[in-house]
Amino acid sequence: MNSKPVLWFVVPCYNEQEVLPLTAHEFLRKLKELITSDKIDDASRILFVNDGSKDRTWEIINSLASQDNHYSGISLSRNRGHQNALLAGLMEAKDQCDITISMDCDGQDDINAVDEMLSEYFSGSEIIYGVRNDRETDTFFKRWTAQIFYRLMNFLGAEVIYNHADFRLISSKVLQELANFQEVNIFLRGMIPLIGFKSSCLMYKRKVRAAGASHYPFTKMAAFAFDGITSLSNRPITFIACLGVLVSLFGFAGIIWAILAFFLGYNVTGWASMMCAVCFLGGIQLLSLGIIGEYVGKAYMETKQRPRYIVSERINQKGE
């Protein structure tokens, strides 16, 4: 490692033409401020990852790179989703820098918290998680669903940091180990804690989006949570097995009751209750099959070993 570490900001971008011209200059200002204060090496970069945007995002990244060599970028061949785009940027950076700091393009992550992250890194932490200290900028519904998201994730076996998204510092040592995780179905918020190494959390105040609209509505957030759970934990399968045992016990008790009622001369009535039981058990079975099918589908995709992303273009990269 150099006496002054090389830092790369890794910033995934998808249809960010409205906000990118605003936040890119803030990223550069902070980078040059850190270089001037001798905290990081002048070889440090801001790496934008274009995740198959359909607007002018890649054109803007090219324009920025032509204005200052501290800007660089890669463009994926098609939209692969936020997690794959972030992974692509981290893997691009791992052999060219000492530390990376990943953040969203929308300006909500506090760029000034980077100074404290570096202080934690110099104190020995290999991973520093940026954790929101409040959710004042969110609506009540967003706060409520976010709390459910994190609690449900941890309850179902996916180890995630509460109120932490993807604003984090990762050393190159950790990135080298992350490269050994070869699964196609990735969920970095849960994969990074699995790596280990010394880590710490840094509280920061999240800002409102600088411009444009969020790409994560509730439906997408729910799908993201479900994907993360099934990618990192098999606890839902265990719950299904436990539920099957419980329902079987109730069913066995019902059989005993029906036999006793027959021999004791009671009329065994209850068409409505029978239909309710059938519908309930049918729903449980379909739900269980759906969850199991999700795991089977993920295993199927893993066996194909398709690339998680394909980089189609690079600008201002090493050797160019």
Side-chain angles (χ1 to χ4, degrees):
M1 183 184 295
N2 298 327
S3 57
K4 291 185 292 185
V6 176
L7 165 66
W8 278 37
F9 288 137
V10 178
V11 187
C13 306
Y14 176 67
N15 292 344
E16 301 287 6
Q17 65 177 13
E18 295 180 8
V19 72
L20 185 56
L22 303 176
T23 56
H25 296 297
E26 284 298 304
F27 298 151
L28 184 62
R29 177 193 63 78
K30 174 53 68 175
L31 190 76
K32 289 190 173 181
E33 178 185 307
L34 295 171
I35 293 170
T36 303
S37 60
D38 281 336
K39 290 184 178 179
I40 60 175
D41 193 271
D42 187 55
S44 299
R45 296 277 184 88
I46 301 164
L47 175 65
F48 294 109
V49 183
N50 177 42
D51 185 22
S53 299
K54 296 178 175 62
D55 61 4
R56 296 179 56 252
T57 296
W58 183 238
E59 181 183 331
I60 294 171
I61 294 172
N62 274 272
S63 175
L64 291 168
S66 67
Q67 297 170 24
D68 195 300
N69 286 331
H70 289 102
Y71 289 122
S72 64
I74 60 174
S75 183
L76 305 189
S77 60
R78 58 174 290 257
N79 178 252
R80 294 294 301 171
H82 181 272
Q83 295 294 282
N84 284 286
L86 179 53
L87 179 68
L90 293 174
M91 293 300 99
E92 192 79 8
K94 71 180 175 67
D95 295 321
Q96 304 185 58
C97 66
D98 300 302
I99 45 178
T100 62
I101 295 180
S102 58
M103 62 180 64
D104 290 337
C105 183
D106 55 19
Q108 289 190 278
D109 296 324
D110 185 6
I111 190 67
N112 293 315
V114 168
D115 297 82
E116 295 179 63
M117 283 186 166
L118 287 173
S119 296
E120 288 290 327
Y121 169 73
F122 291 131
S123 297
S125 292
E126 302 286 347
I127 307 171
I128 297 96
Y129 301 101
V131 178
R132 298 181 61 169
N133 58 8
D134 62 57
R135 287 188 169 269
E136 293 178 357
T137 58
D138 292 344
T139 62
F140 170 79
F141 180 74
K142 184 65 181 292
R143 287 197 299 271
W144 180 69
T145 53
Q147 289 175 352
I148 291 176
F149 169 79
Y150 287 107
R151 288 194 171 95
L152 183 64
M153 291 283 290
N154 282 292
F155 177 72
L156 292 178
E159 298 180 15
V160 295
I161 307 298
Y162 186 71
N163 270 345
H164 164 69
D166 289 295
F167 182 33
R168 68 178 77 88
L169 180 149
I170 308 177
S171 72
S172 59
K173 182 191 297 185
V174 176
L175 289 179
Q176 297 297 334
E177 299 303 325
L178 178 62
N180 294 325
F181 285 61
Q182 295 298 316
E183 58 257 46
V184 174
N185 302 285
I186 63 169
F187 187 74
L188 292 174
R189 298 183 193 184
M191 290 169 62
I192 301 296
L194 291 176
I195 299 174
F197 292 102
K198 183 180 179 181
S199 64
S200 57
C201 293
L202 174 68
M203 307 300 290
Y204 76 99
K205 187 176 182 64
R206 193 166 171 84
K207 303 175 183 179
V208 296
R209 186 180 175 88
S214 171
H215 299 303
Y216 266 90
F218 173 71
T219 52
K220 193 171 181 180
M221 195 68 175
F224 184 58
F226 185 70
D227 189 55
I229 291 166
T230 52
S231 296
L232 292 168
S233 171
N234 63 357
R235 192 170 291 179
I237 299 290
T238 304
F239 285 157
I240 289 173
C242 293
L243 181 61
V245 171
L246 184 63
V247 171
S248 296
L249 290 175
F250 275 112
F252 183 69
I255 291 171
I256 295 175
W257 173 81
I259 293 172
L260 289 175
F262 175 78
F263 283 109
L264 293 174
Y266 294 118
N267 291 325
V268 181
T269 59
W271 180 87
S273 60
M274 179 66 71
M275 290 304 297
C276 288
V278 169
C279 291
F280 172 74
L281 290 175
I284 290 293
Q285 288 174 339
L286 290 174
L287 175 63
S288 301
L289 285 173
I291 294 174
I292 293 171
E294 181 71 17
Y295 280 96
V296 172
K298 275 184 163 53
Y300 172 67
M301 294 305 296
E302 293 292 341
T303 60
K304 287 178 174 291
Q305 296 184 331
R306 291 174 176 171
R308 293 172 289 188
Y309 57 85
I310 297 173
V311 178
S312 60
E313 295 182 67
R314 290 179 171 87
I315 50 174
N316 273 3
Q317 291 295 83
K318 188 175 180 179
E320 294 187 358

